[in-house]
Amino acid sequence: MLPTKAYAAQTAGAPLGPWQIERRDPKPNDVLVDILYCGICHSDIHFAHGQFPGAQFPAVPGHEIVGKVVQSGSAVTRHKVGDIVGIGCMVDACRHCVECDDGEEQFCAGMVGTYAGVEDGKPTYGGYSSRITVAEDFALKISPKLPPAAAAPLLCAGITLYSPLRHWKVGKGSKVAVIGLGGLGHMGVKLAVAMGADVTVFSTSEKKRADAQRLGAHDFAVSTNPETFTRLAGKFDVILNTVSAKVDYNAYISTLKRDGTLVLLGIPDGPVELDAFGLLFRRKNLGASIIGGIKETQEMLDFCAEHNIVSDIEMIRMDQVNEAYERILKSDVRYRFVIDMATLG
Ligand code: NAP
Ligand code: ZN
Ligand code: ZN
């Protein structure tokens, strides 16, 4: 076993602090990766607060990992020592069910989460750590065109927006809205713009208007202003809801076109009321999506390399993580915190 430095919440809601975990010695199909950077996803906060399915404590969050391969098992063919690789929300899956066969490992009943999962009978630990051992098929190739720190958030925020944009066939001229300009939302704007869509941002923060424009959005609407919903009534083909709290789904559904779809990505802390009439009358749809499969994650990384897309990041030291969580909870992040893992010591 490989003793490994990490940061953990010892109990639900406790501040994170130094802890030691063990990583497995690489098996023939594993690579050992020295973690360089790890993004902070809002799901990490849900997890550290015990509000995530499968949460066990001590909890080591982090599923936006970029690192360098330092050892590869005897049967590894995809990566070699020195390669820069990414690891997202999954570290394994059953590999023989219909979901795995279709490249949708995120829906496999045997999918193993990078955290909140169980592997070889032990809890998995995330990327707030100095290294990780992972099956080579679950390590993604990061193009040398992508700066490693700013590429880290692509591993969750990037694929979480890319997958529904592809699934709901967003392309040139599609009218797309993104609700919430945070880590997920700002990636949604960049990706939808690169796919040729006409993009509107719904935000609670008027202060983010200039940023939305800089990111490429064509329109910006303050969601707390009731006039917003009359002005934009019946406009959108697809709306991507990235908000980490309850929002009024019915108000957003009123801004969909006939056959348009509201896609749920953000995780509210409880059920939200839905008025069936809002959907019935123009045959509108409610959809949802969670990350994306391994093949599609590689496709997204390659798309980002081709279109020069990375996350807007604020780099922090490991010991600033609790402060970063506080700021994320106040929607005060422009637009993803990334931990420089060299500061783990
Ligand atoms: P984030 O960076 O905190 O962004 C969330 C944004 O939502 C905020 O910046 C804010 O944008 C808006 N918001 C926050 N609280 C709000 C409230 N009470 N009312 C209205 N708007 C509010 O979080 P994130 O990392 O992007 O994650 C967003 C959510 O997606 C989390 O729940 C996370 O767990 C979930 N998630 C889901 C998946 C998936 O696969 N489906 C993957 C990753 C994360 P404005 O300031 O612009 O209003
Ligand atoms: Zn995430
Ligand atoms: Zn499977």
Side-chain angles (χ1 to χ4, degrees), residues 71-268:
Q71 199 180 319
S72 62
S74 54
V76 168
T77 56
R78 296 170 56 84
H79 310 290
K80 56 181 191 314
V81 169
D83 284 358
I84 300 294
V85 295
I87 299 152
C89 303
M90 304 183 278
V91 287
D92 213 341
C94 90
R95 297 159 185 256
H96 49 66
C97 70
V98 64
E99 312 297 355
C100 289
D101 286 349
D102 288 348
E104 306 270 22
E105 298 88 353
Q106 71 277 26
F107 304 126
C108 166
M111 186 272 281
V112 181
T114 304
Y115 57 72
V118 177
E119 202 169 39
D120 302 330
K122 294 181 189 148
T124 55
Y125 296 120
Y128 299 2
S129 57
S130 58
R131 56 186 173 178
I132 185 168
T133 312
V134 65
E136 64 162 338
D137 295 341
F138 284 74
L140 287 308
K141 291 182 186 302
I142 304 283
S143 160
K145 285 191 202 156
L146 292 171
L154 301 179
L155 276 308
C156 176
I159 185 60
T160 299
L161 277 292
Y162 183 88
S163 185
L165 286 167
R166 287 296 192 217
H167 183 79
W168 277 279
K169 300 193 171 24
V170 166
K172 202 162 173 41
S174 305
K175 302 265 188 276
V176 172
V178 173
I179 316 175
L181 197 61
L184 264 55
H186 93 293
M187 289 313 311
V189 174
K190 291 187 186 202
L191 291 166
V193 167
M195 291 174 191
D198 178 286
V199 180
T200 297
V201 169
F202 284 104
S203 173
T204 56
S205 324
E206 171 62 42
K207 287 180 291 183
K208 293 183 181 171
R209 183 182 291 271
D211 283 353
Q213 281 163 356
R214 179 179 53 76
L215 294 165
H218 306 86
D219 195 3
F220 181 88
V222 177
S223 52
T224 48
N225 178 354
E227 276 171 27
T228 286
F229 295 93
T230 27
R231 177 170 78 83
L232 297 173
K235 174 165 179 176
F236 301 109
D237 297 296
V238 177
I239 304 177
L240 302 166
N241 173 27
T242 74
V243 175
S244 50
K246 286 179 191 158
V247 298
D248 181 355
Y249 293 168
N250 306 303
Y252 289 104
I253 286 167
S254 74
T255 69
L256 287 172
K257 271 186 199 162
R258 187 195 73 213
D259 291 322
T261 304
L262 170 64
V263 183
L264 309 183
L265 302 170
I267 306 170

Side-chain angles (χ1 to χ4, degrees), residues 7-30:
Y7 246 57
Q10 295 295 327
T11 54
L16 275 68
W19 192 50
Q20 184 164 298
I21 58 173
E22 290 196 326
R23 297 296 192 187
R24 67 172 182 265
D25 292 302
K27 297 188 239 178
N29 287 102
D30 286 342

